[in-house]
Amino acid sequence: MITRFLVQGMDRNLRLFILLVLAVGIALPLLNQLVPPGNPFHVPAWVMQLIGKYLCYALLALALDLVWGYCGILSLGHGAFFALGGYCMGMYLMRQIGSRGVYGNPLLPDFMVFLNYKQLPWFWHGFDQFWFAAIMIVLVPSVLAFALGWFAFRSRVTGVYLSIITQAMTFALMLAFFRNDMGLGGNNGLTDFKDILGFPVQSDATRGILCFVSALALALGLVASAAVVSSRFGKALTAVRDAESRMRFLGYRVEGYKLFVFVLSAAMAGIAGAIYVPQVGIINPSEFSPANSIEAVLWVAVGGRGTLIGPVIGAFIVNFGKTWLTGALPEVWLFALGALFIVVTLLLPKGVVGLWGQIKTRSRERRARAPA
Amino acid sequence: MTEQRSTSALLYLSGVTVSFDGFKALNNLSLLVEPGEMRAIIGPNGAGKTTMMDVVTGKTRPDSGEVVFDGKSDLTKLDEAHIATLGIGRKFQKPTVFESHTVRDNLLLALAGLRSWYKLLLAAPTRAENARLDEILTIIRMTEQQHMPAARLSHGQKQWLEIGMLLAQDPKLLLVDEPVAGMTDVETETTAQVLREINKTHSVVVVEHDMSFVRALGVKVTVLHEGSMLAEGTLDQVSADPRVVEVYLGR
Ligand SMILES: Nc1ncnc2c1ncn2[C@@H]1O[C@H](COP(=O)(O)OP(=O)(O)OP(=O)(O)O)[C@@H](O)[C@H]1O
Ligand SMILES: [Mg+2]
């Protein structure tokens, strides 16, 4: 029953796409490790790291699309779930530093010594164990999503009001995490990581593994999302998106549906953030910035909301553009982002994937019309 | 007539008042529907017909009055989903089908049975469910369109699909708001047939303006006016009532 549940959702295109994601995740590290530098096929570590980062963004976009594209909940605070997952991973990585910090304190991370902490805050306990951190990476964003969703969905907060609440949530968290007395590194966040599960974070081999793990997480995210959206649950979910009150009159408890995807989506975003942090080597409160969450919405819109491949493609396109533009013409990026938003909303309501579908049908029609 | 509480009534409304910013959409309305009955409700625009259905289905809370279903459930205290699971199905005045779903999936969503999200995650349609879907598709004459997205249906077809969805819910009581609006004469006649067929196994309350349709149903008629009941009886009886004539002609 479970295998049928997992397999039924994947059409041929999606299966190929998932294989492509995995192939990238395997090929890049191999080409980095096995092909010597100088050979045209050698992949430099920074490329691998960049793609690894994009894969995490893609997973965040997929998570967001699950609630926005399939259930109509426009969350403007998904960056918060991503950042919380990232902080959980960051706390684990901080504890792995041990006595190798600047102050050489075996128990307290550097910033705590600096701020005159006498002992480890209670919520840091357990984070020296990877399994504990792994649980928290999923649990912390899920619990927050559950609490927020429980109140919002039961009181039937929808549309713009819900978007504002999620945006306020990430903003409030940003302000909170900026404070030194939160015990999470304040302004500077968590950084100077040394190793993860015993492997040095900075080494190319570890980076390769992290790149592969990112691809694997995205692939699993796609499989799980496909299973969910193509199940009868998924049909009910899109029906809630299209005509919520009609579903109530059919006897569906709409809150349960919304709450489930919202929590699932938050957990996926948390995992994405957790894999992201060791690759970039830092997590700080700016990850909670409202602009990040809005950017993620743009990735989904560009790629095509309500499709599974769309958000992944959108995350890659926009972030390639961002990496390139912030390097070449840094002052232009924000304007480009704004322009992209307008273009997509006006001209590409279904995103790149929708455009692709249009081109395909049009050329098919042209071929059908052409004299044989 | 409805002052005394009947224990046998399927739907019992007594003294129901609903006001919107001081305007009384329903004014001390009382109504009784017996099990197995089909009742037609007519009345000029704004008489409160749709509001009456909103009250019964839990969309609108009355300011005062009693609404009892099946002699035991106080509908003024329950929410939409709960009322639906008690066995009250509703077709809206403006057809609301799930546009991006196929005709068959629309019916599947409406099908009585599974509603909880965790069960639907793993459930596939059973053989019995598929058979029931085929049966309903035949009744509403849409077998050929079953894999078409509902967005591509004509207005009349959407009305049919809605009736099919209502059937799929297998409710004890069907509330049908203006089923033949925008239909051709032939379609209207067929709709009356389908409703009579449904009435063999279900109780029905149908709101309609179309008099030839109401005549074709051949059931007891209630006339609403300004939120209260004006007259009740056969169509011939109520159309002979001078107050009814005045309401309809005086517009
Ligand atoms: N949510 C609302 N807010 C304010 N007024 C409302 C609301 N719903 C209905 N009304 C008013 O209540 C009155 C009764 O409306 P209702 O829709 O029940 O009429 P109806 O008998 O169904 O009419 P029609 O034949 O046009 O469908 C109308 O005057 C309408 O404007
Ligand atoms: Mg009406």
Side-chain angles (χ1 to χ4, degrees):
Chain A
M1 192 164 80
I2 300 287
T3 33
R4 191 190 50 75
F5 170 68
L6 287 177
V7 174
Q8 67 175 2
M10 290 186 286
D11 60 15
R12 212 181 103 246
N13 283 345
L14 184 62
R15 252 178 250 157
L16 286 176
F17 190 76
I18 290 173
L19 287 180
L20 176 73
V21 168
L22 285 174
V24 168
I26 294 169
L28 291 183
L30 288 184
L31 291 176
N32 171 261
Q33 289 291 304
L34 302 183
V35 180
N39 184 306
F41 288 104
H42 176 76
V43 170
W46 67 268
V47 171
M48 199 169 64
Q49 193 191 3
L50 198 67
I51 300 294
K53 233 171 76 174
Y54 291 175
L55 288 166
C56 295
Y57 289 148
L59 183 56
L60 170 61
L62 178 65
L64 180 58
D65 187 39
L66 216 47
V67 289
W68 184 35
Y70 288 93
C71 192
I73 304 169
L74 175 53
S75 165
L76 293 179
H78 252 54
F81 302 128
F82 183 85
L84 284 173
Y87 263 97
C88 289
M89 178 59 100
M91 287 164 83
Y92 163 75
L93 294 171
M94 286 309 264
R95 300 290 312 267
Q96 294 312 104
I97 299 173
S99 54
R100 286 170 293 174
V102 178
Y103 297 106
N105 187 313
L107 188 63
L108 298 183
D110 278 351
F111 78 88
M112 292 189 193
V113 180
F114 182 75
L115 291 172
N116 282 323
Y117 276 68
K118 294 288 168 274
Q119 53 181 0
L120 206 60
W122 61 268
F123 53 86
W124 275 80
H125 288 283
F127 275 98
D128 51 333
Q129 302 293 325
F130 185 77
W131 64 265
F132 182 83
I135 293 175
M136 287 301 146
I137 283 163
V138 174
L139 203 60
V140 172
S142 304
V143 167
L144 177 64
F146 185 85
L148 187 81
W150 176 269
F151 289 110
F153 301 147
R154 301 196 115 224
S155 17
R156 304 200 180 172
V157 179
T158 52
V160 173
Y161 300 100
L162 194 81
S163 302
I164 292 173
I165 289 178
T166 53
Q167 176 98 106
M169 168 194 77
T170 194
F171 189 66
L173 283 171
M174 179 177 75
L175 296 184
F177 275 69
F178 262 127
R179 295 163 58 97
N180 280 330
D181 51 16
M182 268 290 275
L184 286 163
N187 205 355
N188 300 318
L190 310 175
T191 186
D192 292 329
F193 308 135
K194 298 283 190 267
D195 42 43
I196 177 167
L197 288 168
F199 300 101
V201 236
Q202 307 276 358
S203 84
D204 287 357
T206 312
R207 290 216 162 127
I209 294 173
L210 286 170
C211 176
F212 169 71
V213 170
S214 309
L216 186 66
L218 177 59
L220 291 176
L222 283 166
V223 172
S225 304
V228 167
V229 302
S230 65
S231 67
R232 280 175 78 175
F233 173 92
K235 284 177 182 164
L237 196 66
T238 37
V240 168
R241 173 194 69 192
D242 293 343
E244 178 173 335
S245 71
R246 186 74 177 88
M247 282 298 273
R248 290 186 199 276
F249 289 117
L250 284 177
Y252 288 87
R253 298 219 162 265
V254 168
E255 304 80 37
Y257 287 79
K258 291 184 169 180
L259 204 53
F260 175 76
V261 267
F262 198 56
V263 170
L264 176 69
S265 167
M268 279 168 62
I271 293 171
I275 304 173
Y276 173 83
V277 164
Q279 300 187 73
V280 294
I282 183 168
I283 172 82
N284 63 31
S286 68
E287 285 299 334
F288 285 104
S289 125
N292 280 20
S293 297
I294 294 173
E295 243 179 74
V297 170
L298 190 65
W299 306 338
V300 178
V302 166
R305 63 183 278 227
T307 67
L308 293 173
I309 298 178
V312 177
I313 291 177
F316 268 81
I317 291 179
V318 178
N319 281 298
F320 266 121
K322 182 178 184 175
T323 305
W324 175 71
L325 261 186
T326 45
L329 300 158
E331 61 284 351
V332 176
W333 167 241
L334 273 181
F335 294 101
L337 200 66
L340 190 62
F341 209 99
I342 294 169
V343 169
V344 169
T345 336
L346 291 182
L347 303 178
L348 290 177
K350 287 182 182 162
V352 174
V353 170
L355 185 71
W356 175 245
Q358 268 175 19
I359 292 172
K360 257 173 61 178
T361 30
R362 213 169 286 163
S363 73
R364 202 180 304 139
E365 277 165 13
R366 201 172 307 133
R367 234 175 296 137
R369 252 184 284 128
Chain B
M1 182 184 106
T2 50
E3 251 52 84
Q4 219 154 38
R5 168 114 171 226
S6 157
T7 43
S8 69
L10 182 65
L11 181 65
Y12 171 85
L13 273 74
S14 170
V16 175
T17 298
V18 172
S19 35
F20 297 112
D21 304 324
F23 169 77
K24 286 189 174 162
L26 290 184
N27 190 1
N28 199 20
L29 174 69
S30 299
L31 184 77
L32 265 180
V33 179
E34 299 295 335
E37 186 184 351
M38 171 142 67
R39 175 73 60 89
I41 296 187
I42 61 173
N45 292 108
K49 305 180 296 291
T50 301
T51 308
M52 185 272 296
M53 292 198 169
D54 287 345
V55 167
V56 173
T57 51
K59 187 178 177 196
T60 302
R61 294 261 175 260
D63 303 335
S64 59
E66 269 185 279
V67 186
V68 181
F69 180 63
D70 221 0
K72 49 182 185 280
S73 312
D74 179 359
L75 300 184
T76 60
K77 302 238 155 40
L78 306 174
D79 69 358
E80 296 100 314
H82 195 141
I83 292 175
T85 44
L86 284 179
I88 298 185
R90 175 175 190 182
K91 190 203 91 61
F92 287 81
Q93 184 165 353
K94 186 173 157 282
T96 33
V97 296
F98 302 112
E99 304 262 330
S100 55
H101 290 70
T102 62
V103 168
R104 196 181 177 89
D105 281 347
N106 268 276
L107 294 173
L108 179 64
L109 282 166
L111 205 60
L114 291 182
R115 286 293 183 269
S116 74
W117 60 268
Y118 49 92
K119 287 190 186 138
L120 278 183
L121 266 177
L122 292 173
T126 63
R127 192 171 304 166
E129 281 175 323
N130 276 324
R132 180 71 185 137
L133 291 183
D134 291 336
E135 207 172 278
I136 295 168
L137 283 164
T138 318
I139 296 179
I140 62 170
R141 297 155 173 83
M142 292 192 82
T143 309
E144 265 171 48
Q145 292 90 349
Q146 60 173 313
H147 296 301
M148 197 188 262
R152 304 223 321 258
L153 298 178
S154 71
H155 178 78
Q157 285 174 319
K158 282 182 188 170
Q159 299 272 30
W160 283 103
L161 177 54
E162 273 239 38
I163 293 176
M165 288 167 74
L166 209 47
L167 256 184
Q169 282 182 73
D170 194 24
K172 290 191 192 130
L173 174 67
L174 285 82
L175 304 177
V176 188
D177 202 351
E178 304 204 13
V180 300
M183 282 191 180
T184 64
D185 288 352
V186 182
E187 284 172 334
T188 301
E189 174 54 31
T190 331
T191 310
Q193 270 173 31
V194 170
L195 281 181
R196 278 204 306 266
E197 208 172 300
I198 291 173
N199 182 226
K200 285 178 191 158
T201 43
H202 300 83
S203 311
V204 183
V205 172
V206 49
V207 163
E208 190 47 75
H209 283 293
D210 187 321
M211 284 304 160
S212 59
F213 173 75
V214 175
R215 189 166 297 281
L217 290 179
V219 297
K220 187 170 169 187
V221 175
T222 297
V223 185
L224 283 195
H225 178 54
E226 291 177 351
S228 319
M229 192 212 289
L230 187 67
E232 211 166 48
T234 66
L235 186 59
D236 289 330
Q237 280 167 356
V238 299
S239 14
D241 188 323
R243 289 173 307 167
V244 177
V245 175
E246 193 196 313
V247 165
Y248 269 91
L249 296 181
R251 277 195 295 156

